[in-house]
Amino acid sequence: MISVNDVTLRLGKKALFEDVNIKFTDGCYGVIGANGAGKSTFLRILSGDLETTSGSVTITPGERMSVLEQDHFKYDDQEVLETVIQGNMRLFEISKEKDALYAKPDFSDEDGIRASELETEFAEMNGWEAESDAEALLNGLGIPTEEHHVLMKDLTGNQKVKVLLARALFGNPDILLLDEPTNHLDLDAIGWLEEFLINFDNIVIVVSHDRYFLNKVCTNIADIDYGKIQLYAGNYDFWYESSQLMVRQMKEANKKKEEKIKELQEFIRRFSANASKSRQATSRKRALEKIQLEDIRPSSRKYPYIDFRPDREIGNEVLEVHNISKTVDGVKVLDDLSFTLGRGDKVAFVGGNELAKTMFFRILMGEEEPDEGSFKWGVTTSRAYFPKDYTQEFDSDLTIAQWLTQYSENKDQTYVRGFLGRMLFAGEDGDKYVRVLSGGEKVRCLFSRMMISGANVLIFDEPTNHLDMESITALNNGMIRYPSVELFSSRDHQIVQTTANRIMEILPNGRLIDKITTYDEYLASDEMARKRTVYTSLEHGED
């Protein structure tokens, strides 16, 4: 159990948390709140990495806490498998001490006694299964066996994230703290993690912007707002309904109280000077003083309004792709892709082959050339693109308003700033320089550009990176409402499920699976099992 007792944290004059009292027992707790509410900071307080201004955090004696680390370069000189096993540092230390004892040329009786003690503790910690358990975690997250003994520095950034996650999960910790564990994971790896946490018996406290993930794994929600933390039983959707219901009930109660106040005030006004009614008027004054309205504070959450509207209705001929292939650094990432898009298609590109998806989008936007094959956009189409890497987009000394104006046919500042206002850049915010914007602010600028374009084809390459839950929800709603063609890749299960009516998966060998279906139906279909058989046979040169 973790007990948070009267915790206050002040950053300068601002109180990020104030007099927080909360207990975490077995179950999975999703920590939610607006950007800047202190979600990650709260996890650092729980882990002991950050001292509080006042109050304390206590953990049941003897319980082991494991934390998902954020430094992706910390273990670059270590082997992958060793990095995972070090997630249970005591087990790792026992193993090393045992090996050192047995390697001694002058092994003494005293060494034998110590070795026996270590062997007992090692067995109690399931040490003999440590390597196989670590390998199972790595394989489940998509790190193949042949990479378990390479150095961490030889892995890609996304692979390092998976190894650090496996490290945190290793050894059945009593308390598990996870800050954005689904970041940089493909949908397959997220699905594996969901099943792992569903079957995990101890305490999990997780910060995530992935609503589907929170709904799948959480038994409780810890909502941070205005420096307080309120616990709700249930998953994210249950929290949302409960919190909205609570506000409605408070408003209804206040309405009844206000009616009673008016009634009492009217009686007092009419009869306070009447000698025969003075006693009743005095009694009603006392009753009036006891009535207190509930203090209903609006949530600190702010939702942008994302509304993509095509200026022109799209025709029947949208896109034809013929036998496109592309090799990058000697690896064929796209192999003979062919398909035709219709005017009602909303296509989700899924699977772990992220480079293939990004390369394909760049080809469609004319930023890369295919090695083979061709494509043709319909004459009625106009396109807006959200790139995965948008660093160069903001390498500029322009303000936000100036930056967006250059992409607008209508240069009127009231018109342009209207789009910025929808993205929460109100008033003077539009005068901020784009070069200094945060990741989330840059993403909202790109959405403004897509909205102002009036395009009838939208292409998104992982648009939810750096977004808070409110912006992800707004994006999801905007994508659902959009009446024209969309092509997108996203790690957000809910966006894929609620937006796409067609699923395309680019396999590791560059081949394409194309199905007209929802994402959940695709996952439940035989195709998921069959695709691996197809991939294996293709690798061996079979037809």
Side-chain angles (χ1 to χ4, degrees):
M1 181 181 74
I2 306 180
S3 181
V4 179
N5 310 296
D6 299 317
V7 162
T8 294
L9 177 67
R10 293 188 177 276
L11 304 176
K13 295 181 179 180
K14 179 185 176 182
L16 191 59
F17 298 108
E18 195 159 20
D19 298 326
V20 172
N21 289 278
I22 191 171
K23 290 183 179 179
F24 299 96
T25 55
D26 286 351
C28 182
Y29 296 78
V31 181
I32 63 172
N35 268 3
K39 301 182 292 295
S40 296
T41 301
F42 183 62
L43 259 61
R44 291 183 62 200
I45 291 172
L46 295 180
S47 69
D49 185 48
L50 185 64
E51 289 189 10
T52 62
T53 305
S54 61
S56 63
V57 175
T58 58
I59 299 173
T60 303
E63 292 192 342
R64 183 172 72 88
M65 176 183 287
S66 184
V67 180
L68 175 58
E69 298 189 48
Q70 303 297 316
D71 184 352
H72 299 168
F73 305 98
K74 185 175 181 179
Y75 304 102
D76 270 2
D77 294 327
Q78 295 182 188
E79 281 193 1
V80 167
L81 194 65
E82 184 177 88
T83 301
V84 175
I85 295 174
Q86 284 181 356
N88 188 341
M89 188 53 72
R90 177 56 187 159
L91 176 63
F92 181 78
E93 290 170 347
I94 291 172
S95 178
K96 290 301 180 184
E97 188 177 350
K98 279 196 316 116
D99 291 345
L101 283 173
Y102 291 137
K104 290 178 66 174
D106 54 345
F107 190 81
S108 64
D109 291 342
E110 187 175 307
D111 291 332
I113 294 171
R114 178 57 180 161
S116 177
E117 292 172 348
L118 292 173
E119 290 287 6
T120 299
E121 189 174 357
F122 188 73
E124 289 174 349
M125 300 176 75
N126 295 319
W128 296 111
E129 289 79 40
E131 284 200 12
S132 60
D133 289 347
E135 289 173 347
L137 290 171
L138 288 168
N139 289 330
L141 287 166
I143 304 295
T145 303
E146 59 268 23
E147 294 183 343
H148 292 183
H149 294 283
V150 304
L151 295 180
M152 286 286 285
K153 65 184 178 183
D154 296 326
L155 299 182
T156 66
N158 287 357
Q159 287 176 317
K160 287 181 180 181
V161 171
K162 292 180 177 181
V163 175
L164 292 179
L165 180 55
R167 175 188 173 94
L169 302 178
F170 177 75
N172 194 37
D174 301 291
I175 301 164
L176 183 56
L177 304 185
L178 303 175
D179 191 357
E180 296 291 356
T182 62
N183 278 4
H184 308 291
L185 295 187
D186 55 75
L187 286 167
D188 286 345
I190 293 173
W192 180 90
L193 178 60
E194 288 167 357
E195 291 304 314
F196 181 93
L197 295 180
I198 287 170
N199 294 304
F200 188 75
D201 292 330
N202 300 328
I203 299 174
V204 182
I205 303 175
V206 56
V207 171
S208 178
H209 292 139
D210 189 325
R211 299 155 297 163
Y212 183 89
F213 178 76
L214 293 177
N215 278 329
K216 284 278 285 187
V217 305
C218 289
T219 57
N220 299 272
I221 295 294
D223 179 29
I224 302 178
D225 214 355
Y226 293 108
K228 302 293 183 182
I229 302 180
Q230 178 72 38
L231 267 186
Y232 294 82
N235 61 14
Y236 177 79
D237 282 349
F238 191 83
W239 160 81
Y240 183 80
E241 294 298 329
S242 298
S243 60
Q244 296 301 304
L245 176 61
M246 184 179 297
V247 170
R248 288 196 299 270
Q249 289 175 336
M250 291 171 67
K251 287 181 177 178
E252 289 172 3
N254 276 356
K255 185 177 180 180
K256 292 179 180 179
K257 288 178 182 179
E258 287 168 351
E259 292 172 354
K260 185 65 175 176
I261 288 171
K262 288 180 180 179
E263 178 186 321
L264 293 172
Q265 288 175 334
E266 177 62 19
F267 186 92
I268 293 166
R269 185 187 64 80
R270 289 177 59 194
F271 298 112
S272 58
N274 187 319
S276 63
K277 297 282 188 178
S278 62
R279 182 176 293 179
Q280 295 178 42
T282 301
S283 175
R284 280 165 172 74
K285 283 183 181 178
R286 295 196 189 100
L288 182 60
E289 291 169 357
K290 293 178 181 179
I291 297 177
Q292 292 185 341
L293 297 177
E294 295 285 349
D295 182 16
I296 305 174
R297 301 182 72 179
S299 173
S300 60
R301 293 173 174 83
K302 294 182 179 180
Y303 290 83
Y305 182 66
I306 299 176
D307 188 27
F308 305 108
R309 296 184 182 180
D311 290 339
R312 178 182 183 181
E313 186 174 354
I314 202 165
N316 291 324
E317 295 180 358
V318 177
L319 173 66
E320 294 181 359
V321 174
H322 300 286
N323 310 112
I324 281 183
S325 295
K326 181 72 174 180
T327 297
V328 179
D329 296 330
V331 178
K332 181 168 277 191
V333 296
L334 302 173
D335 187 6
D336 199 32
L337 268 62
S338 296
F339 61 84
T340 300
L341 285 190
R343 62 187 298 171
D345 284 333
K346 293 190 175 185
V347 185
F349 287 78
V350 300
N353 200 342
E354 294 191 13
L355 176 59
K357 290 180 280 188
T358 295
M359 184 57 63
F360 183 61
F361 291 155
R362 287 174 60 84
I363 288 172
L364 293 182
M365 291 302 298
E367 296 180 0
E368 295 279 350
E369 291 290 332
D371 297 333
E372 301 173 25
S374 62
F375 66 94
K376 180 182 179 182
W377 288 104
V379 295
T380 65
T381 62
S382 57
R383 294 160 299 283
Y385 176 44
F386 182 100
K388 189 171 188 176
D389 182 2
Y390 42 79
T391 307
Q392 294 301 315
E393 307 280 347
F394 298 95
D395 185 15
S396 165
D397 293 323
L398 298 176
T399 66
I400 298 175
Q402 291 169 338
W403 180 87
L404 185 59
T405 300
Q406 66 184 335
Y407 299 109
S408 175
E409 291 185 8
N410 185 340
K411 305 298 182 181
D412 179 72
Q413 285 300 290
T414 302
Y415 175 79
V416 172
R417 285 179 180 264
F419 285 89
L420 293 177
R422 297 179 192 177
M423 291 294 100
L424 307 179
F425 297 114
E428 295 181 356
D429 289 339
D431 298 324
K432 294 171 67 173
Y433 289 98
V434 296
R435 192 183 297 278
V436 300
L437 297 179
S438 68
E441 288 173 325
K442 289 176 179 177
V443 171
R444 286 188 273 121
C445 281
L446 290 171
F447 292 157
S448 296
R449 186 176 74 177
M450 295 180 80
M451 287 193 294
I452 211 167
S453 73
N456 56 22
V457 177
L458 303 181
I459 301 177
F460 298 94
D461 192 359
E462 299 294 349
T464 62
N465 292 349
H466 303 293
L467 289 185
D468 57 23
M469 198 175 297
E470 292 71 42
S471 296
I472 292 173
T473 300
L475 172 63
N476 195 172
N477 292 336
M479 292 177 71
I480 292 170
R481 285 193 303 264
Y482 184 64
S484 198
V485 174
E486 292 173 302
L487 296 85
F488 66 95
S489 65
S490 176
R491 297 186 184 94
D492 190 292
H493 186 118
Q494 192 160 333
I495 284 180
V496 177
Q497 170 59 21
T498 58
T499 304
N501 56 23
R502 187 171 177 179
I503 303 296
M504 293 189 187
E505 179 167 6
I506 303 175
L507 297 173
N509 64 352
R511 295 293 183 90
L512 182 71
I513 293 174
D514 180 5
K515 289 291 178 180
I516 298 176
T517 182
T518 67
Y519 185 56
D520 283 348
E521 289 170 343
Y522 179 70
L523 291 177
S525 70
D526 293 338
E527 198 68 31
M528 287 295 290
R530 193 183 74 82
K531 73 176 184 182
R532 291 175 173 82
T533 304
V534 170
Y535 171 59
T536 302
S537 64
L538 289 169
E539 286 294 285
H540 289 85
E542 302 171 21
D543 291 331

